[in-house]
Amino acid sequence: MLNAKIPATVITGFLGAGKTTMIRNMLQNAGGKRIALIINEFGDLGVDGDVLKGCGIETCTEDDIVELTNGCICCTVADDFVPTMTALLEREQRPDHIVIETSGLALPQPLVAAFNWPDIKTQVTVDGVVTVIDAAAVAEGRFASDHDALDAQRAADDSLDHESPLEELFEDQIRAADMVVLNKADLVDEARLEAVRSNVAGQVDRPLKVIHASHGDLPVAVLLGLEAAAEDHIGTRKSHHEMHHADGHAHDHDHDDFDSFVVETGAVGNPEGFVGGLKSVIADHDILRLKGFCAVPGKPMRLVIQAVGGRIDTYFDRPWAPDETPSTRLVVIGLHGMERSAIEAAIAAATLPTVAAAE
């Protein structure tokens, strides 16, 4: 039907939950469906988009992947998101489906609300908001809380008027969801997974589909085709920010609680040793997320580094392109006040011994 709206899926979730891996699996099993991707990252090194461009999938070419780096998509709707959507819709060969991966620091609500812009609403509908959660992290007590106990603490201590920004962000991403994916379910036992499921479902006062996955591996039919028309309901899924400022005054949403920077260092002669060094750096400096690419002497392919907390995944994704200079570049994301120079020195120190050992 020529006038049918193009469905769009918003994939959100906290840092390191596994959004990019899930999208990569989706693309590899799209069954010929032409999918356009909008990738939004926090930081100026487009790791997620670069990983997805390496998929080599015929129906998702590099032209179908648009990166919005170094800016939260929920803060730049008018400047970045709307023009990007307009450009996709003006293509001669329009996509069958649009997938938007938000930064792990983004509020989904403003983005979904932007689909009500007149020029977009007539042509696109939000098929669903899928929130990806690191089930293992939540099972360990991170970004989850006992709300009854917190309310009691609030009553006793005026200084606890607001929850931490990380917890609020975690909850806001659940509030916006049509479906929640408890990823990394293979890392927790059945009892703890059920506890996480119960915690997530308790965040909202409406039916919420909660499923689990390992390594982001889910059938495309599960992720796409929810037909939720989420843009029509997003006004009832308010974020903490919106609820805190229900007085009608305008307030800016920012990410002053977080810092992000890129570390460039030498080649990695011993990847296993380097990963061990990174674990110490992450623990010593309370780094939330670390991701990027490494050059390994004697290897024609890039080594991808994806770290959340103390868990680090590595794999070779594709050969270095002829116009690329093999190098090691890592994005570091953490709370405001990180000691950048100390982190840079620590990562460089983790690299040097491995290079020396390989020589």
Side-chain angles (χ1 to χ4, degrees), residues 172 175 238-247:
D172 289 342
R175 290 173 190 269
K238 294 186 182 297
S239 68
H240 281 81
H241 181 80
E242 292 170 309
M243 291 186 291
H244 289 165
H245 302 299
D247 53 10

Side-chain angles (χ1 to χ4, degrees), residues 36-309:
L37 297 174
I38 299 176
I39 310 296
N40 181 220
E41 293 205 59
F42 187 80
D44 58 3
L45 175 60
V47 174
D48 293 348
D50 223 5
V51 168
L52 292 168
K53 287 176 182 177
C55 286
I57 298 166
E58 185 176 347
T59 54
C60 184
T61 67
E62 289 200 16
D63 290 339
D64 293 319
I65 299 176
V66 181
E67 292 181 82
L68 306 177
T69 59
N70 205 26
C72 170
I73 197 171
C74 68
C75 304
T76 58
V77 165
D79 295 335
D80 292 330
F81 173 67
V82 172
T84 297
M85 288 292 295
T86 301
L88 283 177
L89 296 172
E90 289 176 348
R91 288 186 178 183
E92 183 175 349
Q93 188 172 20
R94 304 205 326 171
D96 299 319
H97 204 108
I98 299 170
V99 173
I100 302 167
E101 179 191 355
T102 72
S103 158
L105 302 175
L107 293 174
Q109 284 84 348
L111 172 61
V112 177
F115 281 87
N116 286 308
W117 284 52
D119 290 345
I120 296 178
K121 187 175 180 62
T122 57
Q123 301 183 71
V124 185
T125 182
V126 181
D127 182 65
V129 178
V130 178
T131 296
V132 186
I133 288 176
D134 183 336
V138 176
E140 294 166 3
R142 284 177 282 161
F143 315 123
S145 69
D146 182 333
H147 291 283
D148 291 338
L150 183 58
D151 286 342
Q153 287 177 320
R154 277 180 168 178
D157 187 349
D158 290 339
S159 69
L160 295 175
D161 190 39
H162 297 295
E163 294 155 307
S164 72
L166 295 182
E167 173 124 347
E168 290 188 0
L169 179 58
F170 174 78
E171 293 174 358
D172 289 342
Q173 291 174 346
I174 295 173
R175 290 173 190 269
D178 295 291
M179 182 169 70
V180 171
V181 177
L182 304 182
N183 197 28
K184 308 183 186 180
D186 54 310
L187 301 180
V188 297
D189 58 36
E190 187 173 340
R192 290 195 299 161
L193 185 62
E194 182 56 36
V196 173
R197 181 194 299 272
S198 177
N199 177 286
V200 167
Q203 301 288 341
V204 298
D205 56 1
R206 56 185 169 82
L208 181 63
K209 184 181 296 183
V210 182
I211 62 176
H212 62 80
S214 300
H215 308 289
D217 191 5
L218 287 169
V220 173
V222 171
L223 296 171
L224 308 184
L226 299 181
E227 299 182 351
E231 70 274 18
D232 294 336
H233 313 292
I234 197 62
T236 65
R237 306 178 185 181
K238 294 186 182 297
S239 68
H240 281 81
H241 181 80
E242 292 170 309
M243 291 186 291
H244 289 165
H245 302 299
D247 53 10
H249 296 294
H251 297 271
D252 293 331
H253 163 68
D254 58 47
H255 297 301
D256 289 343
D257 292 303
F258 306 96
D259 283 339
S260 171
F261 56 86
V262 176
V263 176
E264 297 190 45
T265 186
V268 176
N270 179 356
E272 185 176 347
F274 184 59
V275 166
L278 288 181
K279 287 184 178 180
S280 297
V281 175
I282 290 170
D284 292 344
H285 296 276
D286 199 22
I287 294 171
L288 292 173
R289 187 81 164 93
L290 188 148
K291 56 184 178 179
F293 307 103
C294 297
V296 179
K299 294 285 187 180
M301 303 181 76
R302 303 183 312 181
L303 178 67
V304 178
I305 301 280
Q306 296 273 9
V308 55

